[in-house]
Amino acid sequence: MPQCMTSIGIDLGSRTAKYVILNQSGLVAFQVMDGGVHPLEKLRRALEKEGIMKAAGRPGIVATGYGRHLARKDLADQTITEIKAFALGAHYLYPDVRMVIDIGGQDTKVIALDGNGSFDNFGINDRCAAGTGRFLEIMAHSFEIDIGQFGAFALTAGGLIKVTSMCTVFAESEVISLLAKGEDPQSIALGVHQSVVERIETMINRLGRRRPILFAGGGALNPCLVKLLEDRLGGNLIVPENPQIIGALGAAVYALKQESGVRSREPEARSQESGESDQWPVISGQ
Amino acid sequence: MWRSLNIDLDPHCNLLNVLGQVYSDIYLKQDNRPEAMEYFDFVLSEVHGLRIRELLEHKARGGFIAGAFCLFIPDELILAAGGLPIGLCGGADLTISKAEEYLPRNICPLIKSSVGFKLAKICPYFESADFLLGETTCDGKKKAWEILNDFVPTRVVQVPHRKDDAGRGVYRAELDRLVKMLEEAGRTKISFDAVKKAIELMNNKRRALARLYETRKCQPSPISGKDALLISQVAFYDDVARFTASVDKLTGELTGRIAQGISPFAKDAPRIMLSGCPSVVPNWKLHHIIESLGAAVVVEEACTGTRYFETLVDESAADLNAQLDALAQRYLSINCSCFTPNHERTEQIIQYAQEYHADGVIYNTLQFCHTYNVEYARVEKALKEAGFPVLKIETDYTAEDAGQIQTRIEAFLERIKP
């Protein structure tokens, strides 16, 4: 085995910031944290804690997500879009994957992959929050339920009450008026999830359905979304163990590729390895 | 001068300040601009100054000003009647809230912005126009003309929805009506000689634009898409002969730049064709985002682009009647999405994408512009079959979606040039 190269991918999303440290044998470390007002500072501090930022020859860093251009200014070496990052991250874990669904904070996207880890088409929700994690968050708030519990809550529904408004604010009004009518909260919550899933199904069909499909982003932590999507799409979805880091992982994969390119031209370049690799789970390609 | 036009001075001043700042950021900071762009910078800096003075002087000499938006209003007839055709304002966000006092929120920003300019009295072109010439290319505009007629006399030319014999008959009859109306406005008879002169003048302008666009087929293009768009926009405002000469001067310079390999773009910059809705001043949004990401816009299949100049009027007509036939023939050859069926437009898009060596096509539609929006499905299919990647961007004049648009276009560029 030649010198072990390390790379860092960071994903500054609208709600959370993530980093992934990767080397040629696999995932070394990762973390998902609330973005807050200064997500870049948080990321920098976390990476410094990892002990790999001080070295003169720190690993290459690639940034993705809404804040990627901000990160480019003083932390990252390069940027790639979330679309490319999710495609690379998904392909790294599951080379067979042909579609990626990502429900993030402000974005819901569907990416169509070719066989080489590149994407050949994609769709993203328009400027409004309809169908995104933020949409679900606001809906959960109407039920006074934590977003982390919202899916489980909806899954206990005895029936389904349709929520037809896609506009976040209108949907909120619709939910509040249904609750005011005394309708079953769980059934309304199921209707809210159903409306998100229908929207994603349309996005998938617009691109042309391909399989297997990987479900990533914070939305994939929601068991109700997973179940409804599987019902609608008629098959199992691949849900990675840590769906929120797929973008950062893709950025790290990209960084590692760039790094290898550099190394192959400069064989004497520095070596760098994190000493903490065994305290993190290693995800292997399947 | 502004007072005599009844312009609302404070908001107008505000408009010019904003416009100046935006223009400086988007245009003047470009690297490697051709020197001859100086003329167009000057025209834009005087868009609410010297040009308006010229229009007022024209009126003082007994001429008239006809305001319009659309390529289906033949400039030749206005010129032949002693008038000056002028493009109306309508590409800015700041007048939209004013318009929404009258208009529904969910219609296209071009209509809202333009009606807003009139209601807010801050567009000197609206204020100097003796009358407006509307058309029926979309339902929103068709009804908006009725509202505008309450503020300034507005005549509507009926544009048919089919390019068959019946449709051609409708448009040809509309030209007869237009001739009568313009003769009254100009208190003159439209003569064969005047129309002949106007046809030649306008054809020369179209030829000059075609020569300019021809230089953009080179790799790399010697001129930025932003600059080319600006020229297409200025075409709606500027004096025809002076504009033609200035475009020719620029094209001369660009030919030299091609020989020396000078370009505002990197050699391997992805080449993007824009297709769809027009971009009215000061709507430079999409061009600016695309080119800020390192790609080159090499052609616009739009009213502010190829549609403006792509066919000429036959100059060989022997009498006025034949001239009107020739005008009808040329104007109804424009491939606007208002027609059905409209396979000619799709075929032309493919042809342009090939001629301009586009690596990808960005289909640009304004929100709620139903014809261009719906037509996308057919255009997308045809482009994919022809092997061109395509991305649709639907937007308006606000800046709020700039981040999302940037992500989409960046991803599109990653896909074109991985």
Side-chain angles (χ1 to χ4, degrees):
Chain A
M1 188 89 186
Q3 293 169 335
C4 189
M5 282 175 271
T6 306
S7 72
I8 300 174
I10 58 179
D11 178 358
L12 275 98
S14 60
R15 311 288 291 171
T16 51
K18 292 77 95 173
Y19 70 81
V20 162
I21 302 174
L22 195 68
N23 69 20
Q24 283 156 318
S25 7
L27 189 67
V28 178
F30 71 88
Q31 201 178 327
V32 179
M33 45 198 144
D34 280 344
V37 187
H38 299 294
L40 195 59
E41 251 337 283
K42 276 193 176 175
L43 270 176
R44 189 202 310 277
R45 264 183 269 126
L47 286 171
E48 275 165 6
K49 262 194 193 157
E50 294 281 352
I52 55 170
M53 291 297 286
K54 278 172 243 148
R58 67 153 174 79
I61 300 183
V62 169
T64 188
Y66 266 121
R68 65 190 180 281
H69 293 292
L70 175 72
R72 178 74 193 268
K73 284 196 178 110
D74 60 0
L75 187 59
D77 307 301
Q78 282 191 67
T79 62
I80 58 174
T81 64
E82 300 91 291
I83 293 114
K84 182 169 182 153
F86 274 88
L88 285 171
H91 179 76
Y92 176 81
L93 294 179
Y94 306 95
D96 292 340
V97 160
R98 292 295 179 273
M99 272 199 137
V100 177
I101 301 168
D102 164 46
I103 302 187
Q106 296 280 338
D107 265 349
T108 288
K109 47 186 168 282
V110 175
I111 307 161
L113 276 68
D114 61 20
N116 309 313
S118 303
F119 61 97
D120 54 23
N121 214 344
F122 63 92
I124 318 184
N125 62 301
D126 286 318
R127 64 178 77 190
C128 73
T132 66
R134 184 69 188 141
F135 174 82
L136 284 166
E137 222 170 49
I138 288 170
M139 295 305 115
H141 185 77
S142 309
F143 293 89
E144 297 179 334
I145 284 179
D146 182 76
I147 180 70
Q149 302 307 314
F150 193 38
F153 175 75
L155 278 176
T156 61
L160 170 77
I161 296 174
K162 281 214 157 205
V163 174
T164 50
S165 309
M166 274 319 298
C167 171
T168 308
V169 178
F170 291 160
E172 193 182 13
S173 313
E174 194 177 336
V175 165
I176 289 168
S177 65
L178 285 167
L179 287 171
K181 272 198 233 160
E183 301 281 5
D184 174 44
Q186 281 90 334
S187 303
I188 307 168
L190 188 64
V192 167
H193 284 78
Q194 181 81 7
S195 78
V196 172
V197 165
E198 279 172 20
R199 199 173 168 92
I200 291 167
E201 191 188 7
T202 307
M203 288 171 86
I204 289 174
N205 291 343
R206 201 175 266 252
L207 297 184
R209 205 178 284 193
R210 301 180 193 179
R211 286 184 189 288
I213 303 176
L214 179 130
F215 188 11
L221 298 169
N222 180 317
C224 185
L225 285 180
V226 174
K227 181 178 182 302
L228 292 179
L229 272 170
E230 288 185 334
D231 289 350
R232 301 288 297 205
L233 299 174
N236 289 338
L237 294 173
I238 300 170
V239 181
E241 198 179 339
N242 295 290
Q244 287 172 288
I245 63 163
I246 302 302
L249 175 64
V253 169
Y254 186 76
L256 200 62
K257 278 188 190 166
Q258 303 298 106
E259 198 90 329
S260 321
V262 174
R263 293 291 170 102
S264 61
R265 285 193 299 277
E266 300 170 43
E268 76 286 0
R270 83 260 170 185
S271 95
Q272 183 67 58
E273 202 169 354
S274 165
E276 296 176 279
S277 55
D278 48 3
Q279 87 183 66
W280 296 96
V282 173
I283 302 177
S284 58
Q286 295 171 19
Chain B
M1 178 169 77
W2 304 125
R3 224 170 286 281
S4 73
L5 276 175
N6 199 21
I7 293 272
D8 201 343
L9 293 175
D10 284 349
H12 179 249
C13 184
N14 182 25
L15 167 72
L16 290 189
N17 284 340
V18 173
L19 193 64
Q21 186 56 49
V22 170
Y23 190 77
S24 162
D25 288 347
I26 294 184
Y27 274 96
L28 303 180
K29 289 179 182 161
Q30 293 180 92
D31 290 335
N32 237 335
R33 277 185 101 201
E35 273 174 35
M37 281 310 295
E38 207 182 327
Y39 171 75
F40 300 96
D41 288 338
F42 174 72
V43 172
L44 202 87
S45 71
E46 289 295 339
V47 71
H48 283 197
L50 283 183
R51 185 58 185 148
I52 300 299
R53 192 173 301 278
E54 285 179 354
L55 299 185
L56 296 181
E57 283 164 8
H58 180 76
K59 282 166 73 136
R61 287 193 300 268
F64 66 89
I65 309 294
F69 264 128
C70 180
L71 302 187
F72 288 99
I73 304 300
D75 289 347
E76 289 88 344
L77 294 180
I78 299 171
L79 290 165
L84 290 182
I86 279 300
L88 296 168
C89 306
D93 183 43
L94 91 168
T95 60
I96 283 180
S97 58
K98 187 82 195 162
E100 284 177 354
E101 292 171 17
Y102 282 73
L103 300 174
R105 291 204 66 217
N106 51 351
I107 59 164
C108 103
L110 179 58
I111 294 171
K112 279 195 286 191
S113 173
S114 59
V115 171
F117 266 108
K118 181 64 204 174
L119 297 178
K121 294 192 205 162
I122 51 174
C123 170
Y125 295 94
F126 261 116
E127 301 311 317
S128 55
D130 293 282
F131 55 89
L132 307 185
L133 290 174
E135 22 57 46
T136 56
T137 49
C138 82
D139 291 348
K141 275 205 273 177
K142 192 163 78 184
K143 303 311 284 183
W145 300 120
E146 294 173 14
I147 293 177
L148 285 168
N149 189 45
D150 292 342
F151 300 89
V152 50
T154 303
R155 299 295 187 89
V156 177
V157 172
Q158 192 187 161
V159 177
H161 292 165
R162 272 207 302 268
K163 292 178 178 178
D164 55 9
D165 287 344
R168 274 187 279 272
V170 167
Y171 187 72
R172 179 64 182 79
E174 288 293 284
L175 291 192
D176 284 332
R177 278 183 61 219
L178 187 60
V179 164
K180 281 203 192 74
M181 190 240 147
L182 291 168
E183 285 179 339
E184 277 168 35
R187 292 181 297 276
T188 181
K189 199 85 186 140
I190 287 182
S191 69
F192 170 79
D193 286 339
V195 176
K196 186 174 172 57
K197 213 175 121 199
I199 288 176
E200 285 168 5
L201 188 72
M202 288 301 297
N203 273 351
N204 284 338
K205 180 186 191 178
R206 294 183 186 113
R207 288 186 190 104
L209 284 167
R211 283 191 292 268
L212 170 70
Y213 271 58
E214 200 61 33
T215 67
R216 303 173 75 192
K217 292 178 181 171
C218 292
Q219 306 191 51
S221 165
I223 181 170
S224 73
K226 270 192 276 195
D227 280 337
L229 172 65
L230 179 71
I231 293 163
S232 295
Q233 292 171 331
V234 165
F236 286 80
Y237 298 80
D238 200 14
D239 175 78
V240 182
R242 187 175 59 203
F243 174 84
T244 304
S246 306
V247 172
D248 275 339
K249 185 178 167 215
L250 173 68
T251 304
E253 185 188 343
L254 295 181
T255 308
R257 281 163 68 95
I258 291 166
Q260 296 166 48
I262 303 173
S263 163
F265 303 113
K267 260 204 158 59
D268 58 350
R271 297 172 63 86
I272 299 297
M273 165 171 164
L274 271 181
S275 171
C277 289
S279 307
V280 178
V281 175
N283 178 16
W284 302 303
K285 178 172 165 177
L286 215 44
H287 274 73
H288 184 53
I289 295 175
I290 295 168
E291 298 200 331
S292 299
L293 291 169
V297 177
V298 292
V299 58
E300 300 81 16
E301 186 271 333
C303 307
T304 43
T306 53
R307 237 173 269 145
Y308 188 87
F309 63 79
E310 61 199 0
T311 46
L312 299 176
V313 181
D314 182 3
E315 295 180 7
S316 67
D319 57 38
L320 184 60
N321 197 45
Q323 284 175 327
L324 292 173
D325 287 345
L327 284 169
Q329 170 74 25
R330 186 268 160 182
Y331 279 91
L332 273 196
S333 75
I334 296 169
N335 289 322
C336 173
S337 66
C338 68
F339 294 109
T340 182
N342 200 25
H343 52 88
E344 292 99 332
R345 175 165 176 250
T346 311
E347 287 158 15
Q348 197 168 33
I349 288 171
I350 307 279
Q351 188 194 326
Y352 283 143
Q354 289 164 344
E355 283 177 7
Y356 286 85
H357 313 290
D359 295 311
V361 178
I362 294 181
Y363 194 89
N364 166 29
T365 81
L366 290 168
Q367 251 184 346
F368 310 113
C369 178
H370 302 319
T371 54
Y372 281 100
N373 261 323
V374 176
E375 197 153 284
Y376 175 69
R378 298 187 73 83
V379 173
E380 180 190 31
K381 185 164 171 277
L383 278 167
K384 280 186 175 162
E385 280 167 9
F388 292 99
V390 53
L391 174 74
K392 180 179 168 188
I393 299 285
E394 182 182 341
T395 184
D396 59 14
Y397 298 153
T398 63
E400 67 196 30
D401 59 349
Q404 287 191 337
I405 291 179
Q406 191 183 332
T407 298
R408 279 170 213 226
I409 294 175
E410 248 182 284
F412 186 62
L413 298 175
E414 283 173 345
R415 182 185 147 202
I416 292 173
K417 298 240 158 147

